[in-house]
Amino acid sequence: NNLYIHETSTSGVTLNDDDTWNGTIEQTGGVLKLIGRTDRTTNTSGNNKTLVVTGGNLNLSNENLTLNSGSYVNGEDASIDINSSVLNIKNSANNRAKITMTNGNTSQLNITGANTALTALTGTNITKGSVTVGDGTTISTLNLNIGSNISDDAALKINKESILNAAADSVKIALENNGSTILTDGTLEKAISGEGNTIINGNVTSESAINQAIRVNANKTLSIDADNLGGSVANAGTLNLGDGILTSAVLGTGITNINGVVTVATNNEIINTVKIATDSSLELNASSLRTNKTNITENLGTVIMDDGILLSNVSGKYETKEGGNAVTTSTTYINDNFTNKGTLNLTGDIDKD
């Protein structure tokens, strides 16, 4: 038996826990309420239940609904309300809807299965419960548009081999990322942790820590304090570093701009083209100052050397660290811009090899 729900169904259609269907429900408008069933599943072996929502409101209350392949919610005017319920979107492609999950910390939205995709349209509001992407073996995508809201009382987790595509502005909760998170333009307010990687594919400013490997794509920008970099950075674009101690390596063909007081931790390096802004400083081991390592092409601030052997010329102002470890170099690499504030071991010549 098939059921068709249209906009004229203003009072809506309700299926309670003891109501079942064997056929297709097509909703183009109105309201479909599913209440109280803990194992309502579509399109599985042995049942003919199919749910197709292209408009209207799908309302879940104390419900556990699984949409398998053949069932989906996809429409610019479609919306889903998850009230103390679980919605599993599994092996179901092309889901697009405005999602509201505001009541009950037990609410869950789980997106799993090969080729599963969900676009949460502008106006999405997730302030309770949890959103989980992926099951560890497949690739799924969740797109969060600007205008969507995910709040502190919710939880967001990306599992292995899964992908989150999101505007940085739209992620308003600490994210556990064990897959890949691809961030486009905006400001990231909350921290990212986990064993995955964060890919910068826009102009992103991070006000919180990113504690995992980061990739900055070509012609894209990440602005972040050095203290907030908790993983290595493969930088093919632009990395703007603010104040702090850099404990992770920066590698790649891009440019690192120093816009504050930055210290490169012992046994760490920036292998990148580097530019130092006015009133900024970069403190590092002198041995890193080479064209194939920390290649400083513009220095409007100060380079501070702590330990190591200086084997190249330094543009702009540079000095040894007051109270720091000794720096060794030859007279070849000393000019009028140099100040010895610490300990300098000076020789007539040092073999560059």
Side-chain angles (χ1 to χ4, degrees):
N1 296 322
N2 297 333
L3 175 63
Y4 301 93
I5 305 171
H6 304 285
E7 189 63 46
T8 54
S9 308
T10 54
S11 59
V13 174
T14 299
L15 296 180
N16 292 298
D17 61 339
D18 55 353
D19 293 324
T20 61
W21 83 84
N22 237 351
T24 298
I25 295 178
E26 292 187 10
Q27 182 182 4
T28 60
V31 179
L32 172 60
K33 297 180 180 180
L34 302 181
I35 300 176
R37 187 146 186 154
T38 59
D39 60 350
R40 210 183 305 258
T41 305
T42 70
N43 304 88
T44 60
S45 176
N47 83 51
N48 296 316
K49 293 194 290 287
T50 299
L51 176 61
V52 175
V53 180
T54 57
N57 175 247
L58 174 62
N59 191 298
L60 309 180
S61 183
N62 296 304
E63 179 77 15
N64 190 319
L65 173 66
T66 298
L67 299 180
N68 281 301
S69 179
S71 291
Y72 55 85
V73 181
N74 187 341
E76 297 301 316
D77 297 322
S79 62
I80 305 171
D81 290 347
I82 304 173
N83 302 303
S84 300
S85 298
V86 176
L87 174 59
N88 303 301
I89 299 177
K90 186 175 183 180
N91 301 314
S92 174
N94 300 321
N95 291 276
R96 291 172 61 84
K98 181 174 71 174
I99 300 167
T100 301
M101 191 160 66
T102 59
N103 298 317
N105 289 321
T106 59
S107 292
Q108 297 178 30
L109 173 59
N110 303 313
I111 304 102
T112 61
N115 301 315
T116 300
L118 169 66
T119 295
L121 298 177
T122 297
T124 289
N125 186 23
I126 299 173
T127 57
K128 295 285 185 181
S130 63
V131 179
T132 301
V133 178
D135 59 9
T137 59
T138 58
I139 297 177
S140 304
T141 62
L142 170 64
N143 296 294
L144 296 174
N145 288 353
I146 294 175
S148 301
N149 178 57
I150 298 180
S151 81
D152 287 333
D153 291 332
L156 181 58
K157 180 178 181 180
I158 312 302
N159 284 339
K160 292 181 178 179
E161 300 185 32
S162 298
I163 302 169
L164 168 66
N165 290 286
D169 283 333
S170 72
V171 181
K172 300 183 183 299
I173 175 178
L175 166 64
E176 181 184 342
N177 175 39
N178 297 307
S180 295
T181 290
I182 302 172
L183 294 178
T184 55
D185 295 350
T187 299
L188 181 68
E189 299 177 0
K190 300 297 181 179
I192 298 178
S193 63
E195 298 177 356
N197 61 90
T198 296
I199 300 168
I200 305 301
N201 198 37
N203 296 320
V204 175
T205 297
S206 180
E207 296 178 348
S208 297
I210 302 179
N211 292 315
Q212 58 185 206
I214 300 168
R215 187 176 83 211
V216 183
N217 286 341
N219 302 315
K220 309 303 178 184
T221 301
L222 172 63
S223 299
I224 188 170
D225 282 347
D227 281 336
N228 282 334
L229 277 180
S232 62
V233 181
N235 178 30
T238 301
L239 176 64
N240 296 324
L241 281 183
D243 296 344
I245 298 175
L246 183 65
T247 58
S248 302
V250 177
L251 312 170
T253 59
I255 296 173
T256 298
N257 293 317
I258 305 300
N259 298 319
V261 179
V262 176
T263 299
V264 179
T266 303
N267 299 322
N268 189 37
E269 285 188 310
I270 300 176
I271 302 179
N272 232 188
T273 297
V274 174
K275 296 182 179 181
I276 304 173
T278 304
D279 298 325
S280 297
S281 64
L282 176 63
E283 179 183 317
L284 75 173
N285 188 298
S287 300
S288 296
L289 292 168
R290 303 193 194 188
T291 55
N292 63 341
K293 290 190 175 184
T294 305
N295 181 24
I296 299 175
T297 61
E298 182 177 280
N299 177 19
L300 302 178
T302 305
V303 173
I304 302 171
M305 300 177 294
D306 184 13
D307 207 354
I309 301 173
L310 178 63
L311 294 173
S312 65
N313 294 307
V314 180
S315 65
K317 181 181 176 181
Y318 64 115
E319 60 191 41
T320 53
K321 182 181 179 180
E322 185 175 356
N325 295 299
V327 172
T328 300
T329 191
S330 74
T331 55
T332 303
Y333 307 116
I334 298 298
N335 60 44
D336 291 341
N337 293 321
F338 171 74
T339 302
N340 182 25
K341 292 186 175 181
T343 301
L344 179 68
N345 295 327
L346 193 60
T347 67
D349 187 32
I350 293 178
D351 186 354
K352 293 185 180 182
D353 296 328

